[in-house]
Amino acid sequence: MKKIYTAALVGCGRIGFSLGFDKKREQPASHTMALKKNKRIKLVAGCDTDPVKLESWKRFVRCDKIYTDVSDMLRSCKTDIIAVAVNEEFHLSVTLDVIRSRPRLVILEKPVALNTGDAKKIYRTAKEFNVPVLVNHERRFALDYSAAANYLSEIGDIQSIRGVLCSGLRVYSPEDEKTGAYSLLHDGTHLIDIILYFLEKLSGKEKKWLLYRPSLSGVYYDMEKPVVVRNLCANYKTDVCPDVSVTISGRSKFFAFEVEITGTQGRICIGNGYMHFYKSRQSKLYTGFYSLEEDRFVRRPKRTLYFSNMVQNAVDFLDGKAPLGSSLEDGINVMAVIDEIKEGLKKENGTLGN
C-alpha cells in the first residue's frame, strides 16, 4: 500500500484557500484544493491569524486541528508536508519556524521572500535542518509551458525572448518593499522565473542561467508620485540567447502575461489562456519568401494542471521518484534578478533610495 502523507497549511487566504472557489480559474487554484485533491495526501491541520478565514477553512476541509498561531501548530501537530501561503512580508519568519520543526518537505508559495538576503537566510536554515523546500513557481509544472519548452528545438537558433506583464499595480515603489505589494515582485516573480526556466532548457545543462546586469529602458514614473515606477523594461544578453527582455507595465487597464520566443525558424507565443507555435513555411503571400505559419498539430491542453502537478511533484519527491521541480535555488535566482533591477532603478533615480 502506498504511503499517505499528512499535510498542514499555514495561511488560509487567497492562494491558500479562497481562490479554489473562483469559477473562472482552472481548478485546483489554491493550496487547499490541490492538497485535498491528491489521493496520496491527507490535509490534517490549518493555521491563520484571521479566525474568520480559519473557521471557513475548517468547515470546508472538515478538520478540527486549527490554529491562529503557527508556533502552537508546530508544537502540537507533526506532519510530513507543511505548505506556507502567508503574505510576502511574513515569509521569512514563518518559513524559518516551519523549517526548524523539521517536516519532510516544505511547500513555499512564491516569491521565496521580500529580497535576496531573506531568501538566502531561508536557504541556509533549510540546509542546516536538512529540510527540502519546493517553491510554487506554478508555470514550471504547467503542461502548456512544458509543451513550449519541448518545442524550442523546432524553431531553430533562439534570437530573442521577450516577457511582458501588464496590470494596474505599480511596478515598484520603495515604500512597498516591506510588504511586497508591487508587480515586479508579485507577478514579476512568475515572469522572470519562467524566462529562467526556458534559458535552462536551452542550455541543455543543469547550470542555472541567471540574468545579469540589466540595461534598463522605458522607465516611466507616476506623475503625482515620482518615486512610483509605472513602467520598465530590463534588457539582457545571455550565453544562450543574445536578446532577452522583461517588460512590466503598472498602468494598464487589463492583466496580461506573455512570453514570446523567436527563433531562426519559428516562434512561440504563450500566455494566460493561449499558446501559439509557429514555423517557417513557404509563403502563401509572397513568391520566393518564407512566412510564419501556425503549427496546427499542436493544441493547448484543456487543463494545464499547474497546481495539481506541483503537489504531485511533492509526492513523487517524497517517494524518491523525482527531484523537486522548483527549488529554493530557483527562487533565489529570481530574487537576485529582481534585486538587480531595483538597484538599477535606484541608480537612475536617486530619490528611490531615500
Side-chain angles (χ1 to χ4, degrees):
M1 181 179 293
K2 293 183 178 180
K3 177 178 173 57
I4 301 297
Y5 297 109
T6 56
L9 172 68
V10 185
C12 302
R14 280 169 50 81
I15 195 65
F17 179 45
S18 63
L19 289 181
F21 300 101
D22 187 336
K23 294 181 179 180
K24 291 186 177 181
R25 291 175 185 257
E26 179 188 320
Q27 294 295 335
S30 70
H31 288 272
T32 296
M33 305 308 184
L35 290 166
K36 199 169 183 297
K37 184 177 179 181
N38 194 293
K39 295 180 179 180
R40 297 283 308 284
I41 294 175
K42 184 177 181 181
L43 191 53
V44 299
C47 177
D48 198 285
T49 56
D50 186 331
V52 176
K53 292 179 181 179
L54 191 58
E55 186 61 32
S56 297
W57 184 88
K58 174 185 175 181
R59 287 197 301 270
F60 179 81
V61 179
R62 297 179 182 178
C63 171
D64 292 330
K65 293 181 179 180
I66 57 172
Y67 307 85
T68 56
D69 187 287
V70 67
S71 298
D72 291 340
M73 187 191 81
L74 297 175
R75 281 194 299 267
S76 305
C77 182
K78 300 297 181 182
T79 59
D80 297 305
I81 301 169
I82 301 179
V84 177
V86 297
N87 291 342
E88 287 93 336
E89 59 193 297
F90 302 112
H91 272 210
L92 177 62
S93 59
V94 171
T95 306
L96 292 182
D97 286 344
V98 166
I99 289 171
R100 288 165 183 151
S101 72
R102 286 192 166 94
R104 295 186 61 186
L105 177 67
V106 173
I107 297 176
L108 177 57
E109 181 54 36
K110 68 79 198 169
V112 172
L114 289 174
N115 52 63
T116 305
D118 286 355
K120 288 182 177 179
K121 289 178 184 177
I122 292 173
Y123 178 82
R124 289 193 294 269
T125 304
K127 287 294 184 183
E128 178 184 351
F129 287 83
N130 195 29
V131 175
V133 178
L134 171 61
V135 180
N136 187 28
H137 292 136
E138 59 188 41
R139 286 169 180 78
R140 287 180 178 256
F141 303 96
L143 296 181
D144 51 349
Y145 282 89
S146 295
N150 292 333
Y151 203 79
L152 288 170
S153 60
E154 300 290 323
I155 64 172
D157 295 331
I158 305 303
Q159 301 180 95
S160 66
I161 299 177
R162 304 191 185 281
V164 177
L165 169 64
C166 297
S167 75
L169 180 63
R170 52 195 168 275
V171 175
Y172 172 69
S173 171
E175 63 188 21
D176 293 318
E177 287 209 49
K178 293 182 179 179
T179 64
Y182 57 99
S183 63
L184 175 60
L185 182 71
H186 189 68
D187 290 303
T189 299
H190 281 308
L191 185 63
I192 292 167
D193 178 69
I194 201 61
I195 290 174
L196 289 172
Y197 169 79
F198 285 131
L199 290 173
E200 292 163 19
K201 295 299 181 182
L202 285 170
S203 74
K205 302 176 183 178
E206 293 184 359
K207 178 182 177 181
K208 304 300 182 183
W209 290 87
L210 285 171
L211 298 173
Y212 289 109
R213 294 183 292 277
S215 171
L216 299 184
S217 62
V219 181
Y220 180 90
Y221 298 94
D222 193 297
M223 298 300 291
E224 296 181 358
K225 295 189 70 175
V227 295
V228 174
V229 179
R230 286 291 179 182
N231 197 96
L232 70 78
C233 181
N235 305 281
Y236 302 87
K237 183 176 182 179
T238 76
D239 292 340
V240 294
C241 179
D243 180 13
V244 180
S245 66
V246 177
T247 299
I248 304 180
S249 167
R251 54 191 180 123
S252 302
K253 303 300 182 182
F254 58 89
F255 181 81
F257 185 108
E258 178 179 282
V259 178
E260 181 186 83
I261 306 172
T262 301
T264 54
Q265 298 179 44
R267 178 180 293 164
I268 294 169
C269 187
I270 184 168
N272 288 358
Y274 58 92
M275 181 183 85
H276 303 289
F277 297 170
Y278 302 90
K279 280 190 173 182
S280 174
R281 308 288 189 195
Q282 282 193 344
S283 180
K284 297 177 182 179
L285 304 173
Y286 312 105
T287 301
F289 282 79
Y290 283 77
S291 299
L292 290 179
E293 184 177 312
E294 188 161 5
D295 190 336
R296 299 296 179 181
F297 293 100
V298 179
R299 294 285 186 273
R300 183 177 184 271
K302 291 183 179 180
R303 300 184 68 245
T304 68
L305 303 177
Y306 66 100
F307 230 126
S308 296
N309 283 347
M310 185 275 290
V311 170
Q312 184 58 46
N313 179 239
V315 171
D316 293 341
F317 173 80
L318 291 174
D319 283 345
K321 295 180 179 179
L324 294 178
S326 179
S327 66
L328 259 180
E329 290 90 339
D330 295 318
I332 291 173
N333 286 348
V334 174
M335 294 309 308
V337 174
I338 291 173
D339 281 357
E340 268 206 331
I341 292 174
K342 290 191 298 185
E343 287 304 310
L345 289 170
K346 291 174 183 178
K347 288 179 181 178
E348 177 183 274
N349 184 347
T351 61
L352 291 178
N354 296 333

PDB file of all heavy atoms in Angstrom, residues 67-87:
ATOM      1  N   TYR A  67      -5.377  26.463  14.096  1.00  0.00           N
ATOM      2  CA  TYR A  67      -4.541  27.270  14.980  1.00  0.00           C
ATOM      3  C   TYR A  67      -4.465  28.693  14.458  1.00  0.00           C
ATOM      4  O   TYR A  67      -4.412  28.919  13.242  1.00  0.00           O
ATOM      5  CB  TYR A  67      -3.128  26.688  15.061  1.00  0.00           C
ATOM      6  CG  TYR A  67      -3.083  25.223  15.439  1.00  0.00           C
ATOM      7  CD1 TYR A  67      -3.217  24.232  14.460  1.00  0.00           C
ATOM      8  CD2 TYR A  67      -2.900  24.837  16.760  1.00  0.00           C
ATOM      9  CE1 TYR A  67      -3.177  22.888  14.808  1.00  0.00           C
ATOM     10  CE2 TYR A  67      -2.858  23.493  17.115  1.00  0.00           C
ATOM     11  CZ  TYR A  67      -2.996  22.524  16.130  1.00  0.00           C
ATOM     12  OH  TYR A  67      -2.965  21.193  16.474  1.00  0.00           O
ATOM     13  N   THR A  68      -4.434  29.658  15.370  1.00  0.00           N
ATOM     14  CA  THR A  68      -4.225  31.052  14.996  1.00  0.00           C
ATOM     15  C   THR A  68      -2.774  31.477  15.186  1.00  0.00           C
ATOM     16  O   THR A  68      -2.393  32.581  14.803  1.00  0.00           O
ATOM     17  CB  THR A  68      -5.135  31.991  15.820  1.00  0.00           C
ATOM     18  OG1 THR A  68      -4.897  31.767  17.206  1.00  0.00           O
ATOM     19  CG2 THR A  68      -6.601  31.745  15.483  1.00  0.00           C
ATOM     20  N   ASP A  69      -1.964  30.596  15.745  1.00  0.00           N
ATOM     21  CA  ASP A  69      -0.542  30.864  15.968  1.00  0.00           C
ATOM     22  C   ASP A  69       0.268  29.708  15.399  1.00  0.00           C
ATOM     23  O   ASP A  69       0.059  28.555  15.779  1.00  0.00           O
ATOM     24  CB  ASP A  69      -0.252  31.025  17.459  1.00  0.00           C
ATOM     25  CG  ASP A  69       1.179  31.476  17.727  1.00  0.00           C
ATOM     26  OD1 ASP A  69       2.094  30.640  17.569  1.00  0.00           O
ATOM     27  OD2 ASP A  69       1.375  32.646  18.082  1.00  0.00           O
ATOM     28  N   VAL A  70       1.188  30.020  14.497  1.00  0.00           N
ATOM     29  CA  VAL A  70       1.947  28.958  13.832  1.00  0.00           C
ATOM     30  C   VAL A  70       2.802  28.177  14.818  1.00  0.00           C
ATOM     31  O   VAL A  70       2.999  26.962  14.664  1.00  0.00           O
ATOM     32  CB  VAL A  70       2.797  29.536  12.679  1.00  0.00           C
ATOM     33  CG1 VAL A  70       3.897  30.436  13.201  1.00  0.00           C
ATOM     34  CG2 VAL A  70       3.381  28.428  11.826  1.00  0.00           C
ATOM     35  N   SER A  71       3.306  28.845  15.866  1.00  0.00           N
ATOM     36  CA  SER A  71       4.119  28.144  16.863  1.00  0.00           C
ATOM     37  C   SER A  71       3.312  27.067  17.575  1.00  0.00           C
ATOM     38  O   SER A  71       3.816  25.970  17.844  1.00  0.00           O
ATOM     39  CB  SER A  71       4.691  29.140  17.877  1.00  0.00           C
ATOM     40  OG  SER A  71       5.535  30.075  17.247  1.00  0.00           O
ATOM     41  N   ASP A  72       2.053  27.381  17.878  1.00  0.00           N
ATOM     42  CA  ASP A  72       1.180  26.391  18.516  1.00  0.00           C
ATOM     43  C   ASP A  72       0.965  25.194  17.612  1.00  0.00           C
ATOM     44  O   ASP A  72       0.997  24.042  18.062  1.00  0.00           O
ATOM     45  CB  ASP A  72      -0.174  27.018  18.870  1.00  0.00           C
ATOM     46  CG  ASP A  72      -0.072  28.042  19.990  1.00  0.00           C
ATOM     47  OD1 ASP A  72       0.935  28.002  20.738  1.00  0.00           O
ATOM     48  OD2 ASP A  72      -0.992  28.870  20.110  1.00  0.00           O
ATOM     49  N   MET A  73       0.767  25.467  16.333  1.00  0.00           N
ATOM     50  CA  MET A  73       0.557  24.370  15.391  1.00  0.00           C
ATOM     51  C   MET A  73       1.786  23.480  15.295  1.00  0.00           C
ATOM     52  O   MET A  73       1.692  22.244  15.312  1.00  0.00           O
ATOM     53  CB  MET A  73       0.205  24.902  13.998  1.00  0.00           C
ATOM     54  CG  MET A  73      -0.204  23.809  13.010  1.00  0.00           C
ATOM     55  SD  MET A  73      -0.309  24.364  11.292  1.00  0.00           S
ATOM     56  CE  MET A  73       1.426  24.306  10.830  1.00  0.00           C
ATOM     57  N   LEU A  74       2.955  24.100  15.205  1.00  0.00           N
ATOM     58  CA  LEU A  74       4.183  23.326  15.046  1.00  0.00           C
ATOM     59  C   LEU A  74       4.502  22.501  16.283  1.00  0.00           C
ATOM     60  O   LEU A  74       5.083  21.421  16.177  1.00  0.00           O
ATOM     61  CB  LEU A  74       5.345  24.267  14.720  1.00  0.00           C
ATOM     62  CG  LEU A  74       5.217  25.047  13.398  1.00  0.00           C
ATOM     63  CD1 LEU A  74       6.365  26.022  13.242  1.00  0.00           C
ATOM     64  CD2 LEU A  74       5.152  24.097  12.207  1.00  0.00           C
ATOM     65  N   ARG A  75       4.125  22.987  17.458  1.00  0.00           N
ATOM     66  CA  ARG A  75       4.342  22.218  18.689  1.00  0.00           C
ATOM     67  C   ARG A  75       3.350  21.065  18.820  1.00  0.00           C
ATOM     68  O   ARG A  75       3.694  19.991  19.309  1.00  0.00           O
ATOM     69  CB  ARG A  75       4.205  23.133  19.910  1.00  0.00           C
ATOM     70  CG  ARG A  75       5.406  24.001  20.206  1.00  0.00           C
ATOM     71  CD  ARG A  75       5.316  24.614  21.592  1.00  0.00           C
ATOM     72  NE  ARG A  75       4.125  25.467  21.716  1.00  0.00           N
ATOM     73  CZ  ARG A  75       4.135  26.769  21.492  1.00  0.00           C
ATOM     74  NH1 ARG A  75       5.264  27.368  21.127  1.00  0.00           N
ATOM     75  NH2 ARG A  75       3.043  27.484  21.637  1.00  0.00           N
ATOM     76  N   SER A  76       2.129  21.286  18.342  1.00  0.00           N
ATOM     77  CA  SER A  76       1.048  20.333  18.603  1.00  0.00           C
ATOM     78  C   SER A  76       0.846  19.309  17.498  1.00  0.00           C
ATOM     79  O   SER A  76       0.276  18.244  17.733  1.00  0.00           O
ATOM     80  CB  SER A  76      -0.271  21.083  18.820  1.00  0.00           C
ATOM     81  OG  SER A  76      -0.149  22.041  19.838  1.00  0.00           O
ATOM     82  N   CYS A  77       1.288  19.653  16.302  1.00  0.00           N
ATOM     83  CA  CYS A  77       0.927  18.816  15.148  1.00  0.00           C
ATOM     84  C   CYS A  77       2.143  18.586  14.255  1.00  0.00           C
ATOM     85  O   CYS A  77       2.714  19.533  13.714  1.00  0.00           O
ATOM     86  CB  CYS A  77      -0.186  19.516  14.369  1.00  0.00           C
ATOM     87  SG  CYS A  77      -0.795  18.609  12.959  1.00  0.00           S
ATOM     88  N   LYS A  78       2.548  17.359  14.100  1.00  0.00           N
ATOM     89  CA  LYS A  78       3.668  16.997  13.236  1.00  0.00           C
ATOM     90  C   LYS A  78       3.134  16.377  11.948  1.00  0.00           C
ATOM     91  O   LYS A  78       2.364  15.414  11.990  1.00  0.00           O
ATOM     92  CB  LYS A  78       4.600  16.017  13.942  1.00  0.00           C
ATOM     93  CG  LYS A  78       5.209  16.551  15.235  1.00  0.00           C
ATOM     94  CD  LYS A  78       6.092  17.765  14.971  1.00  0.00           C
ATOM     95  CE  LYS A  78       6.728  18.286  16.260  1.00  0.00           C
ATOM     96  NZ  LYS A  78       7.542  19.501  16.018  1.00  0.00           N
ATOM     97  N   THR A  79       3.544  16.935  10.819  1.00  0.00           N
ATOM     98  CA  THR A  79       3.094  16.418   9.522  1.00  0.00           C
ATOM     99  C   THR A  79       4.278  16.226   8.583  1.00  0.00           C
ATOM    100  O   THR A  79       5.353  16.780   8.792  1.00  0.00           O
ATOM    101  CB  THR A  79       2.093  17.396   8.863  1.00  0.00           C
ATOM    102  OG1 THR A  79       2.720  18.672   8.691  1.00  0.00           O
ATOM    103  CG2 THR A  79       0.840  17.540   9.709  1.00  0.00           C
ATOM    104  N   ASP A  80       4.046  15.460   7.526  1.00  0.00           N
ATOM    105  CA  ASP A  80       5.090  15.236   6.523  1.00  0.00           C
ATOM    106  C   ASP A  80       5.350  16.497   5.703  1.00  0.00           C
ATOM    107  O   ASP A  80       6.494  16.823   5.381  1.00  0.00           O
ATOM    108  CB  ASP A  80       4.672  14.100   5.582  1.00  0.00           C
ATOM    109  CG  ASP A  80       4.507  12.777   6.287  1.00  0.00           C
ATOM    110  OD1 ASP A  80       5.471  12.343   6.943  1.00  0.00           O
ATOM    111  OD2 ASP A  80       3.418  12.170   6.183  1.00  0.00           O
ATOM    112  N   ILE A  81       4.270  17.190   5.344  1.00  0.00           N
ATOM    113  CA  ILE A  81       4.349  18.369   4.473  1.00  0.00           C
ATOM    114  C   ILE A  81       3.748  19.563   5.198  1.00  0.00           C
ATOM    115  O   ILE A  81       2.706  19.441   5.849  1.00  0.00           O
ATOM    116  CB  ILE A  81       3.564  18.132   3.158  1.00  0.00           C
ATOM    117  CG1 ILE A  81       4.112  16.927   2.397  1.00  0.00           C
ATOM    118  CG2 ILE A  81       3.596  19.384   2.282  1.00  0.00           C
ATOM    119  CD1 ILE A  81       3.215  16.483   1.242  1.00  0.00           C
ATOM    120  N   ILE A  82       4.395  20.712   5.075  1.00  0.00           N
ATOM    121  CA  ILE A  82       3.795  21.963   5.546  1.00  0.00           C
ATOM    122  C   ILE A  82       3.846  22.954   4.393  1.00  0.00           C
ATOM    123  O   ILE A  82       4.919  23.234   3.856  1.00  0.00           O
ATOM    124  CB  ILE A  82       4.518  22.551   6.767  1.00  0.00           C
ATOM    125  CG1 ILE A  82       4.497  21.551   7.934  1.00  0.00           C
ATOM    126  CG2 ILE A  82       3.836  23.858   7.193  1.00  0.00           C
ATOM    127  CD1 ILE A  82       5.216  22.049   9.183  1.00  0.00           C
ATOM    128  N   ALA A  83       2.674  23.454   3.980  1.00  0.00           N
ATOM    129  CA  ALA A  83       2.592  24.462   2.926  1.00  0.00           C
ATOM    130  C   ALA A  83       2.496  25.846   3.554  1.00  0.00           C
ATOM    131  O   ALA A  83       1.672  26.067   4.444  1.00  0.00           O
ATOM    132  CB  ALA A  83       1.382  24.201   2.041  1.00  0.00           C
ATOM    133  N   VAL A  84       3.336  26.754   3.100  1.00  0.00           N
ATOM    134  CA  VAL A  84       3.364  28.123   3.622  1.00  0.00           C
ATOM    135  C   VAL A  84       2.790  29.049   2.553  1.00  0.00           C
ATOM    136  O   VAL A  84       3.372  29.213   1.480  1.00  0.00           O
ATOM    137  CB  VAL A  84       4.788  28.556   3.992  1.00  0.00           C
ATOM    138  CG1 VAL A  84       4.799  30.009   4.457  1.00  0.00           C
ATOM    139  CG2 VAL A  84       5.362  27.644   5.065  1.00  0.00           C
ATOM    140  N   ALA A  85       1.633  29.652   2.864  1.00  0.00           N
ATOM    141  CA  ALA A  85       0.953  30.513   1.905  1.00  0.00           C
ATOM    142  C   ALA A  85       0.539  31.823   2.564  1.00  0.00           C
ATOM    143  O   ALA A  85      -0.585  32.299   2.387  1.00  0.00           O
ATOM    144  CB  ALA A  85      -0.264  29.798   1.323  1.00  0.00           C
ATOM    145  N   VAL A  86       1.447  32.402   3.324  1.00  0.00           N
ATOM    146  CA  VAL A  86       1.180  33.671   4.011  1.00  0.00           C
ATOM    147  C   VAL A  86       1.595  34.835   3.118  1.00  0.00           C
ATOM    148  O   VAL A  86       2.248  34.646   2.086  1.00  0.00           O
ATOM    149  CB  VAL A  86       1.936  33.729   5.358  1.00  0.00           C
ATOM    150  CG1 VAL A  86       1.444  32.631   6.294  1.00  0.00           C
ATOM    151  CG2 VAL A  86       3.448  33.604   5.147  1.00  0.00           C
ATOM    152  N   ASN A  87       1.243  36.057   3.517  1.00  0.00           N
ATOM    153  CA  ASN A  87       1.665  37.237   2.762  1.00  0.00           C
ATOM    154  C   ASN A  87       3.190  37.338   2.736  1.00  0.00           C
ATOM    155  O   ASN A  87       3.875  36.901   3.667  1.00  0.00           O
ATOM    156  CB  ASN A  87       1.076  38.504   3.372  1.00  0.00           C
ATOM    157  CG  ASN A  87      -0.433  38.595   3.176  1.00  0.00           C
ATOM    158  OD1 ASN A  87      -1.004  37.906   2.324  1.00  0.00           O
ATOM    159  ND2 ASN A  87      -1.074  39.438   3.957  1.00  0.00           N
TER     160      ASN A  87
END
